[in-house]
């Protein structure tokens, strides 16, 4: 089975950039999506096909994917961005999620 | 407004059955694949099953294959998950999710709308 590895936690100060990584074998050859999940809420798609933002997602969210690592970057992190973030990729014949990263803004 | 509303969760003993429903509105249901994703308490997301826009193509991960069945009724704008032979480890919040594509197996796909989730508790 294919594994996607994320750091369990990332800490960032308000206004500073935050980066969350997702690692997998030759992940750069796959499309990666990212989801944000706040406590008690459903996941929300924030990045798809590595770099694309759905409508309504702030421009401060961006993504990249190369080699074995995909990265979600929040340029100027706000308190409202505190949440769990999950990466996702397709590995035939199933969808795989990373274990999730808790982003803490402090 | 695009909405997915799950129902059918609850408390069930091991070996029991439940049928989850996901009522959809606000988009052309028959044009998109749909998926079920679950999240055990305090854990991450796990994709379970996908169904194509027509309903003719389905897939279930190994841990639920033979026990769970995904289906859809495009005339009723509703997605289903029939869950049989439930186990303790099936305890989770179950989400239905809309795929961006017509097939669940497109590597460029993503889940752009999610329901609010329905809790399934399996315990004796």
């Amino acid at each position: 089975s294919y594994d996607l590895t994320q750091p369990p936690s990332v800490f960032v100060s308000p206004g500073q950039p935050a980066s969350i990584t997702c690692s997998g074998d030759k992940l750069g050859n796959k499309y990666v999506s990212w989801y944000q999940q706040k406590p008690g809420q459903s996941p929300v798609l924030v990045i798809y096909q590595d770099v694309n933002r759905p409508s309504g997602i702030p421009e401060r969210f961006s993504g990249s994917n190369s080699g074995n690592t995909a990265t979600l970057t929040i340029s100027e992190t706000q308190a409202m961005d505190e949440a769990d973030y999950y990466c996702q990729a397709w590995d035939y014949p199933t969808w795989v999620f990373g274990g999730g990263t808790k982003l803490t803004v402090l | 407004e695009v909405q997915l509303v799950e129902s059918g969760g609850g408390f069930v003993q091991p070996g029991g059955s439940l049928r989850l429903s996901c009522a959809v509105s606000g988009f052309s249901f028959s044009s998109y694949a749909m998926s079920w994703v679950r999240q055990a308490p305090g854990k991450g997301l796990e994709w379970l099953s996908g169904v194509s826009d027509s309903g003719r193509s389905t897939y279930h991960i190994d841990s639920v294959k033979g026990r769970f069945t995904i289906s859809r009724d495009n005339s009723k704008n509703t997605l289903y998950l029939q869950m049989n032979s439930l186990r303790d480890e099936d305890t989770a919040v179950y989400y239905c999710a809309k795929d961006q594509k017509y097939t669940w197996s497109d590597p460029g796909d993503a889940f752009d709308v999610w329901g609010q989730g329905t809790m399934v508790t399996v315990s004796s």
Side-chain angles (χ1 to χ4, degrees), chain B:
Chain B
E1 181 191 5
V2 175
Q3 268 197 315
L4 308 179
V5 179
E6 298 99 336
S7 60
F11 186 95
V12 63
Q13 292 188 332
S17 298
L18 282 175
R19 187 174 86 152
L20 306 184
S21 299
C22 172
V24 162
S25 60
F27 68 96
S28 178
F29 180 63
S30 61
S31 297
Y32 297 94
M34 297 291 294
S35 290
W36 286 99
V37 178
R38 71 182 176 186
Q39 186 171 36
K43 302 298 184 182
L45 302 171
E46 179 181 38
W47 182 76
L48 294 179
S49 308
V51 59
S52 62
D53 57 346
S54 66
R56 284 194 289 268
S57 174
T58 64
Y59 187 83
H60 305 80
I61 62 172
D62 286 345
S63 61
V64 306
K65 198 170 293 184
R67 300 189 300 123
F68 292 9
T69 304
I70 190 172
S71 63
R72 65 192 295 162
D73 186 335
N74 285 347
S75 69
K76 295 182 178 179
N77 284 356
T78 303
L79 175 73
Y80 302 101
L81 185 68
Q82 178 66 44
M83 304 188 297
N84 299 328
S85 303
L86 283 160
R87 305 167 179 168
D88 290 353
E89 55 265 34
D90 295 320
T91 294
V93 175
Y94 285 73
Y95 296 100
C96 61
K98 171 188 169 290
D99 290 54
Q100 288 183 322
K101 311 288 188 179
Y102 69 91
T103 174
W104 51 268
S105 57
D106 187 322
D109 195 11
F111 305 145
D112 59 357
V113 186
W114 295 63
Q116 86 285 357
T118 186
M119 183 70 203
V120 172
T121 303
V122 184
S123 176
S124 54

Side-chain angles (χ1 to χ4, degrees), chain A residues 8-92:
Chain A
S9 57
V10 169
F11 299 89
V12 63
S13 299
Q16 295 302 303
S19 292
I20 299 172
T21 58
C22 174
S23 298
D25 185 46
K26 297 176 184 172
L27 185 58
N29 293 339
K30 303 177 184 293
Y31 280 124
V32 174
S33 299
W34 290 91
Y35 299 86
Q36 175 194 69
Q37 187 180 32
K38 297 181 179 179
Q41 297 184 20
S42 305
V44 173
L45 178 68
V46 295
I47 293 290
Y48 66 98
Q49 291 184 355
D50 297 339
V51 299
N52 296 309
R53 274 180 295 105
S55 60
I57 300 301
E59 291 184 7
R60 63 180 182 275
F61 287 87
S62 63
S64 64
N65 184 18
S66 180
N68 294 322
T69 304
T71 303
L72 174 70
T73 301
I74 308 173
S75 59
E76 295 179 2
T77 311
Q78 299 183 11
M80 68 172 66
D81 300 330
E82 186 163 287
D84 293 328
Y85 291 85
Y86 295 90
C87 59
Q88 176 204 26
W90 171 258
D91 185 68
Y92 181 86

